[in-house]
């Protein structure tokens, strides 16, 4: 990456998104039948697959909770699943840590 003198010229990941030249309808399917939607979804994902900023796009969509469209090669359903699985591991260990912390608080304090 090359840095710029001023922030106004700072490149954004969207500058490198190859979907910029593609048909937006592909990424926001409005078809009525499942086969049409599936075909559009596949076409959009095929574009995402070759995109250099696919990861940035997906992490942005997950961060803002983008409800519509194909972002970073994922459908809204896939992103809901990713958000659930991303949040799940954080939630599960918490009670264990709290219980263990209560049992040996001084140990943890000196270790930290």
């Amino acid at each position: 990456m090359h840095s710029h003198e001023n922030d106004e010229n700072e490149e954004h990941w969207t500058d490198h998104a190859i979907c910029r030249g593609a048909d937006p309808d592909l990424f926001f399917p409005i078809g009525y039948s499942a086969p049409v939607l599936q075909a559009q979804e596949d076409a959009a994902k095929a574009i995402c697959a070759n995109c250099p900023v696919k990861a940035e796009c997906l992490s942005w969509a997950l961060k803002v909770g983008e409800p519509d469209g194909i972002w970073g090669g994922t459908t809204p359903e896939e992103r809901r699943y990713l958000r659930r699985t991303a949040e799940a591991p954080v939630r599960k260990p918490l009670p264990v840590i709290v219980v263990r912390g209560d049992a040996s608080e001084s140990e943890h304090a000196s270790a930290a």
Side-chain angles (χ1 to χ4, degrees):
M1 293 287 285
H2 51 90
S3 60
H4 297 288
E5 287 299 309
N6 67 12
D7 290 342
E8 279 169 46
N9 296 333
E10 201 58 55
E11 288 186 336
H12 192 255
W13 64 263
T14 52
D15 295 339
H16 302 282
I18 58 176
C19 64
R20 281 165 64 109
D23 181 356
D25 289 349
L26 271 184
F27 295 87
F28 294 91
I30 45 173
Y32 295 101
S33 67
V36 171
L37 283 172
Q38 192 58 57
Q40 283 183 284
E41 207 172 276
D42 292 345
K45 285 181 171 187
I47 293 171
C48 295
N50 296 310
C51 185
V53 291
K54 181 179 165 186
E56 289 88 336
C57 181
L58 175 56
S59 66
W60 179 86
L62 287 170
K63 192 164 63 196
V64 301
E66 185 57 64
D68 302 303
I70 306 285
W71 294 86
T74 63
T75 63
E77 291 75 27
E78 288 164 340
R79 287 195 300 280
R80 276 196 288 279
Y81 175 76
L82 284 171
R83 276 199 297 272
R84 273 205 304 276
T85 52
E87 288 165 8
V90 177
R91 286 184 186 150
K92 278 181 199 150
L94 279 176
V96 182
I97 293 165
V98 171
V99 172
R100 215 178 279 149
D102 292 346
S104 58
E105 215 165 350
S106 57
E107 239 177 75
H108 282 286
S110 57

